[in-house]
């Protein structure tokens, strides 16, 4: 587990030092992602037309506590005739923990896909996205989760 967090930390540090994103109208964005699992989202440009998104999700209700960190590599494509609007796709991985009251908690790993729309307002440091993130959970049991649709609202810089 320590190795996984070390690798994710190195990827994030590398991403923060890269430049030159052309398909999007911003280099970095931070804010919230709201859907089945609410959380914090950070996007940063990697190279021409690609970004790294890190999402920290959390949920606590009815005796269930859930936390998850997801890292996604996203490829952006502009939509012709719609300035500031891009569609994107990509993939990544997630690691998380779920604890149900009265039971031992589970740590799990998953592979994720992503498909979405991204809009950057001209003249304002605001970015909106709407995406779908399906997951193939690998541990503790292998299963497919059809995904979470989420709305991202971020401050760009």
């Amino acid at each position: 587990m320590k190795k996984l967090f070390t690798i994710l930390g190195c990827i994030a540090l590398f991403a923060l030092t890269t430049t030159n994103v052309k398909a999007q109208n911003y280099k970095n964005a931070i804010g919230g992602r709201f859907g089945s699992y609410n959380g914090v989202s950070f996007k940063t440009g990697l190279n021409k037309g690609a970004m790294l998104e890190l999402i920290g999700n959390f949920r606590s209700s009815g005796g269930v506590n859930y936390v998850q960190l997801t890292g996604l590599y996203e490829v952006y494509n502009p939509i012709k005739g719609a300035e500031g609007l891009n569609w994107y796709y990509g993939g990544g991985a997630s690691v998380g923990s779920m604890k149900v009251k009265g039971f031992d908690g589970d740590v799990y790993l998953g592979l994720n896909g992503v498909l979405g729309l991204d809009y950057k307002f001209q003249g304002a440091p605001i970015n909106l996205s709407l995406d779908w993130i399906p997951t193939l959970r690998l541990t503790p049991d292998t299963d497919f989760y059809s995904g979470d649709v989420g709305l991202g609202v971020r401050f760009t810089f």
Side-chain angles (χ1 to χ4, degrees), residues 81-92:
E83 186 70 28
L85 183 62
N86 295 287
W87 71 277
Y88 61 94
Y89 64 92

Side-chain angles (χ1 to χ4, degrees), residues 6-135:
T6 302
I7 291 169
L8 288 175
C10 290
I11 290 170
L13 182 61
F14 172 74
L16 291 172
T17 61
T18 60
T19 60
N20 196 17
V21 176
K22 297 294 183 198
Q24 311 79 267
N25 297 330
Y26 59 94
K27 183 181 180 310
N28 297 303
I30 190 165
R33 184 173 185 281
F34 308 96
S36 299
Y37 302 99
N38 297 322
V40 177
S41 169
F42 174 74
K43 287 189 176 193
T44 188
L46 296 176
N47 56 37
K48 185 176 181 179
M51 294 192 95
L52 172 69
E53 181 173 12
L54 299 174
I55 304 168
N57 291 337
F58 50 89
R59 184 183 217 180
S60 182
S61 67
V64 177
N65 295 315
Y66 167 93
V67 63
Q68 176 176 296
L69 177 63
T70 302
L72 299 168
Y73 179 83
E74 301 168 343
V75 178
Y76 283 68
N77 298 289
I79 296 177
K80 291 183 172 126
E83 186 70 28
L85 183 62
N86 295 287
W87 71 277
Y88 61 94
Y89 64 92
S94 57
V95 59
S97 173
M98 181 183 294
K99 181 157 174 89
V100 179
K101 187 175 181 179
F103 295 95
D104 289 336
D106 283 328
V107 173
Y108 58 88
L109 300 173
L111 298 176
N112 306 93
V114 63
L115 179 65
L117 292 171
D118 183 271
Y119 182 73
K120 166 65 173 76
F121 288 93
Q122 283 189 321
I126 304 294
N127 161 253
L128 298 177
S129 66
L130 182 65
D131 58 26
W132 172 56
I133 304 176
T135 303

